Amino acid sequence: MSIIKTENICKSFGSVDVLKNVSLTVEPGEVVVIIGPSGAGKSTYLRSLNHLEKPTSGKIWIDDKLIEDRVNGHNQVKLPHKERAAILLEMGMVFQRFNLFPHKTALQNVMLAPMNVKGVPEKEAKEKAVKLLNQVGLGDKLDSYPAKLSGGQQQRVAIARALAMEPKMMLFDEPTSALDPELVGDVLNVMKELAEEGMTMLVVTHEMGFAREVADRVVFMYDGAILEEGSPKEIFTNPKHDRTRQFLQSVL
Ligand code: ADP
Ligand code: MG
């Protein structure tokens, strides 16, 4: 049983090979943290899972269902559009840039997708959004517009917005990298609580404290490939590769 599985994902932009046979499995309830230097292919990998990027080749299973089997950039798996859309909705995604709707309040930002995409009635969407915004510590900011919120608060709205779609798994791509240092902790705490509640999470971050404390498994990516993976203890105290050691020395 896996909730995310990829086999030999390759991605080239022109003649540049950005992903080289990336194979990874994430079990339900697992928190997997991907670390690695800038340009390693971490974002491209995450984006491939969520259909924002088309791999050149390789296979992707979401929730044990094969959704992509790409050969020369073409997907051999033919799924009805509705079915594919439903599977993609199982993945919530939070990016470095939060991209909230500027002319909508925090509450409206969180209510919107459930109403528009899932047809959830307004009253229900609102109740759920209030609950989620309370959960991320923003119960007193329901009617605030993004411009009136700090970066950390906006990112927590973005997390609540993703959770409002009731995803089975959450992907995070450097969710705290754009934040002032003093705002990072609140966002990481929300993520940690989510992990403790049993959410399956795949997280790209440079926050080694978070990786050490929250990850079940740490994956080190370098130059488009997974160089090694293991428990936080294994990776942080006894990395197998010099590259991993060098990277850790540069960030710790
Ligand atoms: P990371 O998230 O680990 O920093 P990325 O996945 O963003 O790495 O990028 C990996 C490599 O792919 C980089 O060398 C980047 O320049 C290249 N790349 C990413 N997106 C594109 C694109 N759309 N066109 C060309 N090259 C790209
Ligand atoms: Mg990136």
Side-chain angles (χ1 to χ4, degrees):
M1 178 71 192
S2 66
I3 193 148
I4 300 170
K5 181 176 169 190
T6 68
E7 201 175 272
N8 295 330
I9 295 293
C10 297
K11 172 70 180 176
S12 309
F13 290 107
S15 61
V16 185
D17 298 331
V18 168
L19 295 177
K20 303 166 188 169
N21 293 308
V22 179
S23 299
L24 181 69
T25 302
V26 180
E27 313 281 336
E30 222 185 350
V31 178
V32 175
V33 168
I34 302 179
I35 61 173
S38 178
K42 306 180 299 295
S43 295
T44 306
Y45 178 67
L46 235 56
R47 290 166 55 81
S48 300
L49 296 174
N50 208 12
H51 227 62
L52 297 169
E53 206 79 75
K54 291 188 176 82
T56 311
S57 61
K59 292 181 184 169
I60 300 175
W61 291 259
I62 299 296
D63 215 1
D64 268 341
K65 196 166 181 79
L66 182 66
I67 61 164
E68 302 220 15
D69 176 4
R70 289 201 182 258
V71 178
N72 292 326
H74 296 288
N75 194 359
Q76 312 295 304
V77 180
K78 304 296 173 209
L79 277 184
H81 174 75
K82 258 191 163 169
E83 201 176 324
R84 177 182 309 277
I87 292 167
L88 292 177
L89 283 179
E90 293 178 8
M91 263 179 284
M93 184 135 186
V94 174
F95 303 90
Q96 186 173 342
R97 299 251 151 241
F98 355 103
N99 296 322
L100 299 176
F101 294 109
H103 303 299
K104 305 263 182 214
T105 63
L107 187 64
Q108 289 165 339
N109 265 284
V110 179
M111 289 168 64
L112 220 57
M115 287 170 61
N116 292 350
V117 180
K118 282 187 160 177
V120 174
E122 183 172 352
K123 184 167 172 283
E124 202 181 306
K126 185 170 178 179
E127 280 168 9
K128 174 106 194 176
V130 170
K131 185 170 153 272
L132 285 168
L133 284 165
N134 273 295
Q135 188 184 323
V136 300
L138 295 175
D140 57 341
K141 301 287 181 191
L142 302 180
D143 298 320
S144 300
Y145 287 89
K148 298 282 181 200
L149 299 173
S150 73
Q153 290 169 333
Q154 290 185 55
Q155 190 60 299
R156 284 183 281 150
V157 174
I159 294 173
R161 178 178 59 176
L163 292 174
M165 294 298 278
E166 303 184 327
K168 283 192 187 170
M169 66 208 90
M170 287 284 285
L171 312 181
F172 292 87
D173 192 359
E174 298 200 27
T176 60
S177 293
L179 303 178
D180 291 334
E182 73 272 21
L183 304 176
V184 167
D186 288 339
V187 173
L188 292 179
N189 281 335
V190 166
M191 292 167 63
K192 190 176 159 197
E193 283 169 19
L194 205 54
E196 282 164 359
E197 285 167 18
M199 177 62 83
T200 304
M201 293 167 48
L202 185 53
V203 182
V204 174
T205 185
H206 292 297
E207 295 292 334
M208 296 301 142
F210 178 86
R212 209 184 266 270
E213 197 183 343
V214 183
D216 295 304
R217 195 145 46 95
V218 176
V219 172
F220 177 64
M221 274 187 81
Y222 185 86
D223 195 21
I226 293 177
L227 215 53
E228 63 177 303
E229 58 180 289
S231 68
K233 196 165 176 237
E234 284 165 344
I235 298 292
F236 289 117
T237 59
N238 196 18
K240 292 188 191 71
H241 284 264
D242 286 343
R243 291 286 186 201
T244 317
R245 202 166 296 125
Q246 281 163 17
F247 174 74
L248 290 172
Q249 274 165 7
S250 73
V251 292
L252 287 176

